[in-house]
Amino acid sequence: VPAAVAPGEGPYTTRACGKGRRDTLLGGITTAKTTKLTLHPKFTIGEISPRLYGAFLEPIGTMVNGSMYNPKHPTADSQGFRQDFIAALREAGLPALRLPGGNFVSGWEWKDSIGPKEQRKAHLDLAWHQYIPNDVGHDEYLQWAEKIGTQPMYTINLGTGTLLDAIHIAEYTNHPGGTYWSDLRRQYGREQPYGVKTWYLGNEMDGPWQIASWEKDPKGYGVLANETSKAMKWVDGSIETAVCGSSSPFMGHFPQWDLEVLQECYNAVDYVSLHHYHTAAPGNYFQLLGGAAYIEDYIETEAALCDFVQAKMRSPRKLMLSFDEYGAMMRPLQGIEHPGWGPYNLYHSHYRFDPNAAYVRHDPDNMVDNRRREVGDMVPALGSASILLAFLRHADRVKIGCMTSGLGALCATDREHVWRTASYYPFHQLMEYGRGQSLQVAVEGDTFDLPAYAVNDTSQYPAKEGLPYVDAAAAYDEKAGALTLFAINRDPAGDTQIQLDVSAFEGYRFVEHLELCAPDMDARNTWEAPDTIAPAVGQSAKEEQGVVTATLKPLSWNVLRFEK
């Protein structure tokens, strides 16, 4: 199966393993896979938060200056926002959006981005080596979120920013009036408060790449987060805050850094912010879709750490998790080139002092053509969906999820057009059908082993054994009378036959099997051919006495729906 393995690895072989068969990437030929899945209404995990299906926005490249804001575009409104982009996102129903960054915010002076545009101050963005003209400022970000009908979740500057800046931004944004900052908002044309509910206390504050990083002083950051959260909640007692945990499970100080932070602010905050970008070798779909297992390891470690601190603090409060930056990608693996040099390479990769590097001024006229991607549409579609399934399996603790590429997944753009990539369909179907309670899915069937691999000296994934070919999660909305199974066939080589037992759901009938797969893994949707990859109704599914049998195609996304 050449397309499914990394360079130097042969196809996989089969050996017996418990109730199923386990395949290893060693050599040989496999036969058709089978999997039995069982659902029961009593085996719930937790309430699914709508904000699990959120997105993330940061002014990198032309996402803001081009896709979001382009006063030259034929559809631009009076504020310069592209109405074609707004309409597409509004139709998609995005529930929540974390903004305005990202690494960007650790050097952003929000007070220079308000008021008349001709009086605003332009700055250098040290994080991404670009000019920030502040054409899109604090008010515009929040007003644009209103236009697309989503809940904004705001990240404040706790890098170069101060406690007083945080108090002022909360006052400007949420206080009704009668103070300098709230009246200034009204003077600038916004009479009513924005009512931002969720505030992130900085971004990736343990990263050496961060401006004014707190990497070497977790206790100091924990104290600052405690005081900032406390003060902002004194401005507006209805808000909730998220403190930064380690920005990757690969950080050498994880989870000790998180422990030292949480011990200082546990009773003042509501969420811990987590980030991770999973990487696989080009063409290795086992590594790509096995990434959900590593995401779950990260979630479970952080949840256990929070519970340890809860017990240590004798606190009745249980912290939830906000996985507010994530993605899955394929890129060449460097491997371990310098054993033991991991800590140095982490710094070296971010401490780049290039005297010839020029700052970039992004403009809609130099937008990148998004149709020239290195991979087909199904790679990001399946990669992101697999992570969302991991979130569903931990819906009791993960209450916010922000797909880094979420806006582009819901609406791809170029200079003139908008269209839907394949990523739109799993993301939107999860928004539509992934409601109510998350259910445990009992999975019995064929599995594969994933050998350990290294992206580089600092990012190394351990081996995993017994990963099921069918990656699944389920949602049960009892009030609406809806039951849905979401499943990915992670096998690139062939179909997987499933038996789905829902006989415990009395009175429910099978409605449809929706499937998404590509004619080939290099295929992609474009403005000219927007339906190259689109969902279809599976024809193989049959129900008999509460058991549905169906065929899941290779590297496919599947939704099996039931109604009462």
Side-chain angles (χ1 to χ4, degrees):
V1 196
V5 296
E9 295 177 342
Y12 44 77
T13 190
T14 299
R15 58 189 172 90
C17 179
K19 297 182 178 180
R21 184 182 61 244
R22 185 162 73 213
D23 300 330
T24 55
L25 305 178
L26 295 176
I29 301 174
T30 59
T31 57
K33 315 297 186 304
T34 60
T35 298
K36 180 180 179 181
L37 306 130
T38 306
L39 299 176
H40 195 288
K42 297 296 184 183
F43 290 90
T44 61
I45 295 171
E47 186 73 22
I48 301 169
S49 166
R51 294 191 294 174
L52 209 61
Y53 313 119
F56 168 60
L57 173 65
E58 183 172 10
I60 301 175
T62 52
M63 175 50 71
V64 170
N65 290 296
S67 296
M68 172 185 172
Y69 174 80
N70 182 357
K72 303 176 185 179
H73 196 271
T75 70
D77 64 14
S78 60
Q79 291 182 289
F81 294 134
R82 285 179 58 167
Q83 294 185 80
D84 59 345
F85 195 39
I86 289 172
L89 293 175
R90 192 170 189 88
E91 181 184 356
L94 181 68
L97 178 66
R98 176 173 166 252
L99 51 74
N103 294 347
F104 157 79
V105 299
S106 289
W108 189 48
E109 300 182 63
W110 75 272
K111 294 173 183 176
D112 290 343
S113 78
I114 59 176
K117 289 189 178 181
E118 63 273 13
Q119 297 177 14
R120 297 181 186 179
K121 299 176 183 178
H123 291 282
L124 296 178
D125 173 16
L126 307 185
W128 299 111
H129 227 69
Q130 60 186 341
Y131 291 98
I132 296 295
N134 278 321
D135 292 332
V136 178
H138 175 80
D139 289 281
E140 284 81 12
Y141 280 113
L142 297 178
Q143 290 166 17
W144 184 77
E146 289 179 337
K147 290 184 177 187
I148 68 171
T150 194
Q151 178 186 340
M153 302 184 295
Y154 204 100
T155 308
I156 67 170
N157 179 353
L158 277 188
T160 61
T162 66
L163 172 59
L164 195 58
D165 288 330
I167 294 171
H168 291 163
I169 198 171
E171 187 178 323
Y172 180 92
T173 307
N174 283 8
H175 196 68
T179 68
Y180 173 80
W181 289 106
S182 59
D183 285 346
L184 188 62
R185 180 197 72 240
R186 298 167 67 188
Q187 177 186 326
Y188 289 156
R190 175 72 182 204
E191 182 66 27
Q192 297 300 318
Y194 290 104
V196 174
K197 177 180 176 61
T198 306
W199 298 82
Y200 289 88
L201 305 175
N203 175 76
E204 297 182 356
M205 301 308 296
D206 68 323
W209 56 85
Q210 205 67 213
I211 303 166
S213 171
W214 288 88
E215 176 213 9
K216 298 182 182 301
D217 188 8
K219 180 174 181 178
Y221 169 64
V223 170
L224 177 61
N226 184 77
E227 296 305 309
T228 304
S229 181
K230 180 175 68 176
M232 293 181 75
K233 289 181 177 181
W234 282 343
V235 173
D236 181 355
S238 69
I239 69 170
E240 56 187 15
T241 57
V243 65
C244 294
S246 290
S247 46
S248 167
F250 295 137
M251 303 299 288
H253 51 238
F254 172 77
Q256 180 65 29
W257 194 89
D258 307 50
L259 172 63
E260 294 184 36
V261 168
L262 287 173
Q263 288 178 152
E264 303 302 328
C265 64
Y266 186 90
N267 287 305
V269 300
D270 305 281
Y271 298 90
V272 179
S273 169
L274 305 179
H275 296 174
H276 186 57
Y277 295 94
H278 178 71
T279 303
N284 195 320
Y285 301 109
F286 292 113
Q287 289 179 352
L288 178 74
L289 300 178
Y294 302 109
I295 294 287
E296 291 188 89
D297 288 345
Y298 190 16
I299 291 169
E300 289 165 6
T301 300
E302 196 71 36
L305 179 68
C306 289
D307 292 346
F308 169 75
V309 178
Q310 179 186 9
K312 187 175 181 180
M313 308 298 273
R314 308 294 192 268
S315 175
R317 306 177 71 249
K318 186 173 288 292
L319 291 194
M320 297 295 122
L321 304 182
S322 171
F323 217 118
D324 41 81
E325 280 189 42
Y326 69 89
M329 68 195 78
M330 286 182 162
R331 62 186 178 93
L333 308 183
Q334 299 173 20
I336 302 175
E337 298 181 345
H338 306 95
W341 285 23
Y344 167 75
N345 284 342
L346 182 63
Y347 284 87
H348 180 68
S349 62
H350 295 286
Y351 282 50
R352 294 185 293 268
F353 310 118
D354 184 356
N356 299 314
Y359 274 81
V360 177
R361 190 179 303 278
H362 292 291
D363 183 87
D365 289 339
N366 64 20
M367 278 190 74
V368 173
D369 187 341
N370 287 332
R371 292 170 293 184
R372 297 175 183 171
R373 296 186 297 275
E374 294 181 357
V375 296
D377 272 9
M378 285 302 290
V379 169
L382 292 174
S384 296
S386 69
I387 295 174
L388 279 164
L389 295 189
F391 293 170
L392 279 175
R393 290 191 292 267
H394 294 81
D396 57 328
R397 297 305 289 268
V398 182
K399 296 299 183 182
I400 299 174
C402 300
M403 188 188 298
T404 297
S405 60
L407 294 179
L410 295 175
C411 180
T413 59
D414 61 15
R415 296 178 187 88
E416 293 87 21
H417 308 112
V418 298
W419 69 94
R420 292 175 178 173
T421 70
S423 294
Y424 171 88
Y425 299 104
F427 199 15
H428 189 261
Q429 287 167 346
L430 282 160
M431 291 179 191
E432 186 174 4
Y433 304 124
R435 300 172 179 270
Q437 289 283 332
S438 175
L439 292 181
Q440 297 180 37
V441 184
V443 180
E444 302 174 75
D446 295 329
T447 64
F448 63 92
D449 294 342
L450 190 62
Y453 67 99
V455 178
N456 50 39
D457 288 333
T458 59
S459 303
Q460 301 172 31
Y461 293 99
K464 291 286 183 183
E465 293 187 351
L467 296 179
Y469 278 104
V470 176
D471 187 19
Y476 176 40
D477 191 343
E478 185 175 12
K479 185 176 180 181
L483 171 67
T484 308
L485 177 86
F486 306 100
I488 297 173
N489 179 11
R490 300 195 273 202
D491 186 5
D495 297 341
T496 295
Q497 309 298 323
I498 66 166
Q499 290 183 335
L500 172 58
D501 187 345
V502 295
S503 58
F505 291 84
E506 186 176 349
Y508 277 75
R509 66 180 181 88
F510 176 63
V511 176
E512 62 181 348
H513 169 204
L514 301 173
E515 60 183 10
L516 183 75
C517 55
D520 68 77
M521 290 302 286
D522 291 326
R524 57 177 61 91
N525 293 350
T526 65
W527 161 251
E528 297 85 356
D531 299 319
T532 301
I533 305 173
V537 177
Q539 301 300 314
S540 66
K542 297 179 181 179
E543 180 183 22
E544 185 175 348
Q545 296 182 340
V547 177
V548 173
T549 57
T551 300
L552 307 188
K553 295 178 180 179
L555 295 177
S556 63
W557 164 258
N558 302 270
V559 180
L560 284 84
R561 296 180 53 236
F562 300 81
E563 291 179 353
K564 192 168 186 178

